[in-house]
Amino acid sequence: MSLDSGLFSGTVMHQRLLPLRHRLRYRVFSLLVDLDDLPALPRRLRLLSVDRFNLFSLRQADHGDGSATPLKAQVEQRLRDNGLATGGAVRLLAMPRILGYAFNPLSVYFCHRPDGPLQAILYEVNNTFGQRHSYLIPVDEAQAREAAAGGVIAQRCDKQLYVSPFLGMDLHYRFRVHPPAERLALSVNVHRDDGTLVLAAQLDARRRPLTDGVLLGALATHPLLTLKVIAAIHWEALKLWLKGARLQPRPAPPAADLTVVPASLPAPLTKT
């Protein structure tokens, strides 16, 4: 099993600032899996299966285009179509299915060059209406060097998929990523075009080895996590509605399921 594969346990924080304030914080865990490891995982872990039911499972059709095409091949096709190298490691950060169920609002693929350095990050967004859209953002050489030295990668893109029913579409995302090593940090801030911060989300987590014992421990400390995620999304939405938040019209999803963004510069100063 690749040394990069592991379980990341930590906390997620959401702070909504506009049109009203609302904050939540909860504990989560995700798996970081080198996609080349998928065939070997069931041979090394009794509690985790790939494309089969188990206490924990990873189902490739939960990601990408939802087809039977292996996920690594799908990601490499996206890289190839956009002039990026293939043959390097692709590591997926996502929650596994627990007792057959999972919902991942955001899954992240760390795409590396064949010689090792990070070359792109693919952000895969799911909404609760059964729609999915991905954002592919290259990582330039300077960012890759900084990340390898423990630094942070800053990226941005325009919002393309309707996600929260209380947020419109004239927004953009600003990502700050501390790529997974012993620690992982990922922030996603949602801004208006004038730079005003609307919502801030932050994941902070630490790595543990991916073993049956660690999986059982995660189940004990985060029971039925994936069911709690979807329940919490709807519960927090109800509380927002009761506070006075108003529903925004839901447009048709984008015609393409992928947005490709040039390598981003650090985001400008934020208005609050």
Side-chain angles (χ1 to χ4, degrees):
M1 187 182 300
S2 168
L3 294 177
D4 287 332
S5 294
L7 183 147
F8 280 81
S9 178
T11 59
V12 165
M13 182 280 297
H14 281 243
Q15 174 71 62
R16 188 181 295 264
L17 302 171
L18 294 172
L20 49 81
R21 288 185 174 266
H22 185 75
R23 181 183 174 91
L24 62 93
R25 183 183 180 90
Y26 50 92
R27 295 188 303 164
V28 298
F29 72 87
S30 296
L31 302 186
L32 180 77
V33 178
D34 187 322
L35 294 184
D36 286 334
D37 283 346
L38 288 181
L41 287 177
R43 297 195 295 269
R44 303 187 184 188
L45 297 168
R46 294 183 179 181
L47 301 181
L48 176 66
S49 294
V50 176
D51 295 329
R52 293 180 60 189
F53 180 84
N54 201 337
L55 183 58
F56 297 90
S57 57
L58 291 169
R59 185 169 177 263
Q60 295 184 78
D62 288 340
H63 303 279
D65 63 11
S67 72
T69 302
L71 198 51
K72 175 73 177 286
Q74 291 187 46
V75 174
E76 290 204 318
Q77 188 62 55
R78 293 188 185 279
L79 297 175
R80 190 179 300 111
D81 289 346
N82 292 283
L84 296 170
T86 59
V90 176
R91 299 182 294 162
L92 169 64
L93 181 73
M95 286 182 288
R97 288 189 173 216
I98 300 177
L99 293 174
Y101 181 78
F103 176 73
N104 277 284
L106 176 66
S107 302
V108 182
Y109 302 80
F110 297 91
C111 307
H112 294 256
R113 291 168 46 90
D115 56 349
L118 187 65
Q119 66 168 338
I121 302 177
L122 179 66
Y123 303 91
E124 182 179 79
V125 179
N126 289 284
N127 65 22
T128 55
F129 306 99
Q131 299 167 336
R132 180 179 301 156
H133 191 80
S134 297
Y135 304 88
L136 177 62
I137 310 181
V139 173
D140 63 33
E141 292 185 6
Q143 289 178 316
R145 286 195 299 271
E146 184 172 349
V152 172
I153 295 171
Q155 299 178 314
R156 61 182 292 172
C157 65
D158 291 337
K159 178 181 178 181
Q160 301 293 332
L161 181 69
Y162 182 86
V163 181
S164 168
F166 304 113
L167 294 179
M169 296 299 297
D170 294 330
L171 300 166
H172 65 268
Y173 299 121
R174 297 181 188 175
F175 304 100
R176 290 182 63 82
V177 184
H178 186 291
E182 290 305 306
R183 171 178 171 265
L184 163 68
L186 169 64
S187 69
V188 184
N189 292 340
V190 183
H191 294 258
R192 291 176 176 168
D193 287 342
D194 65 0
T196 302
L197 179 62
V198 175
L199 182 148
Q202 174 79 34
L203 167 67
D204 288 293
R206 291 197 173 273
R207 183 185 182 278
R208 301 187 66 191
L210 187 53
T211 67
D212 284 326
V214 169
L215 286 169
L216 277 178
L219 185 66
T221 55
H222 306 73
L224 300 179
L225 171 66
T226 51
L227 286 172
K228 288 182 176 180
V229 167
I230 194 68
I233 288 172
H234 289 92
W235 174 240
E236 298 297 336
L238 175 61
K239 290 196 288 186
L240 279 166
W241 182 76
L242 291 173
K243 282 184 175 183
R246 292 295 171 254
L247 298 175
Q248 300 296 311
R250 176 159 60 101
D257 66 353
L258 177 69
T259 295
V260 182
V261 185
S264 300
L265 296 175
L269 292 177
T270 298
K271 295 183 180 181
T272 57

